[in-house]
Amino acid sequence: MAKLIYSAIASLDGYVADPDGNFDWAAPDDEVHAYVNDLERSVGTYLYGRRMYETMVYWETAHAVAGQHPVALDFARVWQAADKVVYSRTLDAVSSAKTRIERTFDVDAVQRMKEIATADVTVGGPELGGQALGAGLVDDVHFFAVPIIVGAGNPAFPANVRVPLELVDERRFKSGFVHLHYRTR
Ligand SMILES: NC(=O)c1ccc[n+]([C@@H]2O[C@H](COP(=O)([O-])OP(=O)(O)OC[C@H]3O[C@@H](n4cnc5c(N)ncnc54)[C@H](OP(=O)(O)O)[C@@H]3O)[C@@H](O)[C@H]2O)c1
């Protein structure tokens, strides 16, 4: 059975975006980016909330950006190769290949997807990921702590959801980012 992975790049106090909606402080440097690329190589399907999709769809055309870093070109290839499912009650159309829209987050359908998938599945951003965590669908959590405290904003984890975790791996980077890999118990 495939794993469902929830990943977040967040401030040390747990926000994926600050009170102004900015997350430029969360941009990975080449060392972190290359590490993320390697983590995501095994992903066959991305499950996206509409808001995260609107950020990530940049990667559909990122290879055409002049002067693009090799590490970004590599990620663009990884992203373009995977299937995407966008959850939205409002979106009429998508602007990437291998992408479909779902109108509801059906827990049983995602469970079946895990059972038949031949490669891992990820879920994000936090609103959609929180529903997956709350439903007990998430197997692994990848948390990248950015060396900043932003005080408030969009939390990486849902309120009122309790998930015991087992630490599988950790890694520190020159930029001060720390990666924590947990498995749900
Ligand atoms: N730290 C970083 O590196 C980084 C990177 C990218 C983005 N971000 C931030 O991440 C955040 C995006 O995450 P988010 O939590 O705001 O949103 P999200 O989970 O990505 O998307 C939320 C949207 O998904 C749809 N949705 C959610 N649950 C659904 C359900 N059960 N059925 C159908 N559709 C559903 C709805 O779309 P509709 O409204 O269309 O119905 C909802 O508005 C933003 O704050 C962004 O700035 C951070």
Side-chain angles (χ1 to χ4, degrees):
M1 186 158 88
K3 282 189 292 193
L4 184 65
I5 300 163
Y6 175 61
S7 297
I9 301 178
S11 61
L12 182 60
D13 51 344
Y15 297 101
V16 299
D18 65 25
D20 298 322
N22 289 327
F23 53 92
D24 47 358
W25 42 264
D29 69 0
D30 280 0
E31 185 191 19
V32 174
H33 211 319
Y35 183 83
V36 169
N37 292 0
D38 287 342
L39 279 181
E40 303 220 344
R41 258 179 248 289
S42 62
V43 174
T45 309
Y46 292 107
L47 309 185
Y48 284 129
R50 190 256 309 158
R51 294 189 63 197
M52 185 58 84
Y53 174 72
E54 286 174 348
T55 300
M56 297 305 289
V57 75
Y58 162 79
W59 294 103
E60 183 75 357
T61 51
H63 58 280
V65 174
Q68 192 67 274
H69 282 206
V71 75
L73 286 173
D74 183 33
F75 185 75
R77 280 190 291 269
V78 169
W79 196 84
Q80 289 167 17
D83 294 322
K84 296 99 186 166
V85 182
V86 185
Y87 291 84
S88 173
R89 302 176 190 93
T90 64
L91 205 61
D92 292 324
V94 291
S95 48
S96 51
K98 306 178 72 165
T99 307
R100 70 171 205 271
I101 298 173
E102 288 285 345
R103 296 295 178 204
T104 57
F105 187 74
D106 181 334
V107 170
D108 292 336
V110 176
Q111 182 60 35
R112 279 196 299 278
M113 192 188 300
K114 283 173 61 174
E115 284 162 12
I116 60 171
T118 53
D120 288 340
V121 181
T122 70
V123 61
E127 187 184 324
L128 194 74
Q131 293 170 51
L133 279 164
L137 285 168
V138 173
D139 303 287
D140 282 28
V141 175
H142 289 287
F143 184 77
F144 287 85
V146 182
I148 188 171
I149 293 167
V150 299
N154 188 352
F157 296 105
N160 304 317
V161 171
R162 185 184 173 99
V163 184
L165 301 168
E166 178 189 343
L167 183 64
V168 178
D169 199 7
E170 77 282 325
R171 163 108 177 235
R172 58 183 285 167
F173 298 89
K174 290 189 195 78
S175 57
F177 277 49
V178 175
H179 170 240
L180 298 167
H181 175 192
Y182 293 101
R183 189 153 296 148
T184 56
R185 292 187 195 225

